[in-house]
Amino acid sequence: MEQKRGKLLVIGFGPGAFEHITDRARRAIEESEVIIGYNTYVDLIRGLLTTQEIVRTSMTEEVSRAQEAVRQAYMGRTVAVISSGDAGVYGMAGLIYEVLIEKKWNAEEGVEVEVIPGISSINSCAALLGAPIMHDACTISLSDHLTPWDTIAKRVEAAAAADFVIALYNPRSGRRTRQIAETQRILLEHRSADTPVGLVKSAYRDRQQVVLTTLADMLEHEIGMLTTVIIGNSSTVVYDGLMITPRGYQRKYTLDSEEQRLRPSERLQVAAEPWSLSAKEEAGERGEAKSVQLDFPASASYSSAKSSGPLEAAMEALQILEAKGIVSGDYAGSKSARAAAANPFVLFEVGVAPGIANKKFTARQMASLAEIAGEQGEMEYTPHHQVILRIPGGDPKRVVAELKAEKLLVFPVGDVAQIKACDFCNLEKDGSIPVAEELNRVISGLKTPKELKIGFNGCGMACYGAVLEDIGIVYRKGAYDLFLGGKTIGRGAHPAQPVAEGIEADQIVDTVERIFLEYTDKAFPGERFHKFFKRAGKVAGFRHQEQAIVAVADAVCGD
């Protein structure tokens, strides 16, 4: 007797709610003799099961599920392999085919295979958030159990640079905690901190949670394996609690009026689409490529004939954007840097101060700074008791030596620790200056996950605002009070928490150093100290205390 031909039904049943399971998926489950799936997935569809044999396994046993499904199908049985979402999007479909390939399977003679689509997480979560996927989008899984992290990071970088809306799958688990923080760091290099972000946990299930936040604040909310993170692009907006990405209709249509400026017959003409490839080509044929105004810089392959390579094409695009006011002229090769005598694509920057306590530059020091900066360099005043010196093509060793020769302190710039001391009442209250200088010697300039400001005030007046910084130190009654976790910027700014009083002079430097080392060792990349303090709950023995949330009313534009 000839054996019955087996069949594999690879089913995506959507987010989990019965009303979102397709009719074909329901019928496929009904006609199956065996149901194979992850424990949670079996539980989600239990209401659809009747007399089928159930094979359920735990997480990380995907290969054994696929192998068992293929084995049973080769025995002539109809086997359903179930996945939530869509079986072809991080589901079981690909693995089933890989196992079949190892068995030299072919579609004509081997077991029958049918992949039944379902609603993927990117779609179900987008529906709960509003309409964030209205333009070009991509999905990226942050799980590096099977894919090298370097590969994932490159994909995040590319998607961020290309302004894709991004859906992050598998963002965090009990063991994988740093990947989402590193992803946030990469994204913040390309996108505004205010970029809308949607966090959806267990979409259309009993414990559904929907949170609308920003790229800067996303890590302050719960994110786990059941969460899908959707990150908007540069045009995504939030309106009435909804996350919306415009498709681009406003370029050609009037959305607030029934009367349109373009007739239907005109809307697809090249003249109505000056940003299109056809418009670019037509302008090039007429020798007028420069007249076409693009929303984004053209890639190297679209550059004008006079460009001899990718570098020239990139610089040409930057110059177009600079002329339109979209970028400033601070990039290498801009008008402000084009005449640099040395390598114009290297910008050396360094922080400069006359001292930790001393805030006064001498006339000679200022003249020297101007001379070192030269015609192409610049000096920027900052509120952090430093002047930032930027020199295109500067020789770092020479510049630092010249600055130190003028008795100026030199500091690295960026994600480093910085001591922000007061002027000790014009150096008159000098009892704690040696401690401030020792802190500077021990910690200042060392690499940190995010810039770390350590405020230091020489008396109880604390008039330089040390208690607002990441770490605040106030000298009072011969000892030191310690404050942790201040937030100086944003509408949710708040002072640091007082965590200790009366620390002796011979202990304060060691205490701050312990806090610094724990932060640099355990914080996520790009995680500010106040967020780390709150997440960790305790740093160097000092406990974080939840503070009352101050209600901040939405400001009218211009307020």
Side-chain angles (χ1 to χ4, degrees):
M1 180 177 174
E2 186 177 349
Q3 180 176 305
K4 171 188 165 187
R5 187 185 185 194
K7 186 173 184 179
L8 282 166
L9 299 168
V10 190
I11 302 170
F13 60 78
F18 284 1
E19 59 265 33
H20 295 119
I21 300 177
T22 66
D23 181 63
R24 177 63 191 119
R26 287 172 178 267
R27 288 189 287 107
I29 291 171
E30 291 173 1
E31 68 188 59
S32 299
E33 301 170 74
V34 184
I35 304 289
I36 298 180
Y38 170 50
N39 287 324
T40 300
Y41 300 161
V42 173
D43 292 338
L44 285 170
I45 66 163
R46 182 164 294 281
L48 300 177
L49 302 181
T50 53
T51 60
Q52 297 94 334
E53 178 184 335
I54 308 299
V55 178
R56 40 192 304 157
T57 65
S58 303
M59 188 74 78
T60 74
E61 296 185 34
E62 295 88 351
V63 172
S64 64
R65 291 203 295 273
Q67 291 172 335
E68 177 64 14
V70 170
R71 186 183 72 83
Q72 298 243 18
Y74 268 90
M75 292 169 56
R77 309 186 76 181
T78 300
V79 183
V81 182
I82 58 173
S83 297
S84 66
D86 184 279
V89 181
Y90 308 118
M92 291 293 294
L95 183 56
I96 289 290
Y97 278 120
E98 289 184 69
V99 172
L100 287 170
I101 290 170
E102 291 297 320
K103 295 181 70 67
K104 309 302 182 185
W105 166 86
N106 67 75
E108 185 175 343
E109 300 176 358
V111 297
E112 185 180 351
V113 180
E114 181 183 355
V115 178
I116 298 162
I119 302 172
S120 185
S121 181
I122 186 175
N123 305 111
S124 57
C125 294
L128 291 170
L129 290 167
I133 315 292
M134 279 296 295
H135 218 304
D136 299 331
C138 67
T139 63
I140 300 175
S141 171
L142 297 190
S143 175
D144 54 3
H145 289 311
L146 300 175
T147 305
W149 173 250
D150 287 348
T151 299
I152 297 171
K154 288 177 183 177
R155 291 170 180 169
V156 172
E157 179 88 35
D163 203 35
F164 277 87
V165 176
I166 304 171
L168 299 177
Y169 285 55
N170 309 314
R172 178 188 279 166
S173 67
R175 295 182 179 180
R176 294 183 302 100
T177 59
R178 297 183 69 87
Q179 286 82 350
I180 185 68
E182 179 65 10
T183 297
Q184 181 200 45
R185 182 193 67 76
I186 295 171
L187 291 168
L188 283 169
E189 292 178 355
H190 297 275
R191 301 198 182 175
S192 165
D194 295 328
T195 299
V197 172
L199 309 175
V200 182
K201 178 182 178 182
S202 301
Y204 297 102
R205 300 181 191 175
D206 291 340
R207 298 183 180 181
Q208 171 183 295
Q209 293 179 12
V210 180
V211 174
L212 196 56
T213 182
T214 64
L215 186 55
D217 295 334
M218 58 184 277
L219 297 186
E220 295 185 4
H221 302 276
E222 179 187 355
I223 298 176
M225 278 294 289
L226 298 179
T227 306
T228 300
V229 181
I230 296 185
I231 298 152
N233 67 13
S234 60
S235 64
T236 303
V237 298
V238 173
Y239 177 82
D240 197 23
L242 298 172
M243 186 174 170
I244 301 166
T245 301
R247 179 70 176 88
Y249 288 100
Q250 70 277 13
R251 288 196 179 101
K252 288 199 288 184
Y253 298 85
T254 303
L255 303 185
D256 59 354
S257 172
E258 293 184 5
E259 183 178 347
Q260 299 296 325
R261 62 184 181 85
L262 294 176
R263 294 190 296 271
S265 60
E266 298 174 330
R267 292 171 189 167
L268 298 182
Q269 293 180 5
V270 174
E273 301 171 343
W275 53 82
S276 67
L277 175 60
S278 295
K280 180 77 173 178
E281 290 173 339
E282 285 189 7
E285 290 171 3
R286 297 192 303 268
E288 300 172 359
K290 291 287 187 179
S291 66
V292 178
Q293 296 298 306
L294 301 176
D295 284 349
F296 303 98
S299 67
S301 61
Y302 299 152
S303 61
S304 63
K306 72 175 183 178
S307 296
S308 58
L311 176 59
E312 291 80 0
M315 297 313 301
E316 179 184 344
L318 282 170
Q319 289 160 17
I320 292 172
L321 293 178
E322 182 185 5
K324 294 174 68 174
I326 297 174
V327 300
S328 66
D330 292 332
Y331 58 87
S334 66
K335 292 178 181 177
S336 61
R338 211 169 288 147
N343 184 350
F345 302 108
V346 176
L347 184 68
F348 176 60
E349 61 178 355
V350 65
V352 181
I356 294 300
N358 177 28
K359 308 299 178 191
K360 298 177 181 178
F361 287 91
T362 66
R364 174 177 176 142
Q365 287 173 331
M366 292 299 291
S368 295
L369 282 175
E371 183 178 349
I372 292 170
E375 291 294 326
Q376 304 304 323
E378 64 180 22
M379 295 182 290
E380 178 186 352
Y381 166 79
T382 75
H384 304 304
H385 310 176
Q386 294 180 356
V387 168
I388 304 298
L389 183 64
R390 297 188 180 92
I391 308 173
D395 177 359
K397 290 184 178 180
R398 177 186 60 79
V399 170
V400 170
E402 291 179 359
L403 293 170
K404 288 184 175 180
E406 295 297 334
K407 298 186 176 1
L408 290 167
L409 296 183
V410 181
F411 307 92
V413 176
D415 290 335
V416 296
Q418 182 198 345
I419 309 300
K420 290 180 59 178
C422 67
D423 68 350
F424 300 87
C425 294
N426 204 21
L427 305 181
E428 292 181 4
K429 297 180 180 180
D430 59 359
S432 60
I433 291 178
V435 171
E437 292 178 338
E438 176 65 8
L439 273 171
N440 178 68
R441 186 188 67 80
V442 172
I443 295 176
S444 185
L446 296 182
K447 180 71 175 173
T448 52
K450 193 69 176 175
E451 60 181 8
L452 180 73
K453 307 298 184 187
I454 303 173
F456 193 108
N457 283 167
C459 72
M461 291 293 291
C463 56
Y464 267 64
V467 298
L468 299 174
E469 301 293 348
D470 298 305
I471 300 174
I473 303 165
V474 177
Y475 181 63
R476 185 173 64 88
K477 297 181 179 179
Y480 297 86
D481 297 342
L482 182 63
F483 301 78
L484 297 180
K487 183 176 185 288
T488 60
I489 60 175
R491 296 171 64 212
H494 56 74
Q497 299 179 16
V499 296
E501 293 184 346
I503 301 175
E504 297 297 329
D506 60 353
Q507 299 175 357
I508 185 64
V509 174
D510 289 342
T511 299
V512 175
E513 188 175 14
R514 288 202 314 274
I515 295 168
F516 168 82
L517 291 173
E518 188 166 337
Y519 170 54
T520 56
D521 181 54
K522 298 181 179 179
F524 298 140
E527 185 176 30
R528 293 192 179 276
F529 181 80
H530 71 89
K531 294 182 179 180
F532 167 71
F533 187 30
K534 179 178 180 179
R535 178 176 63 81
K538 185 168 68 172
V539 177
F542 300 110
R543 290 192 175 276
H544 179 274
Q545 300 294 327
E546 289 295 336
Q547 297 176 313
I549 298 175
V550 179
V552 181
D554 288 338
V556 177
C557 182
D559 284 2

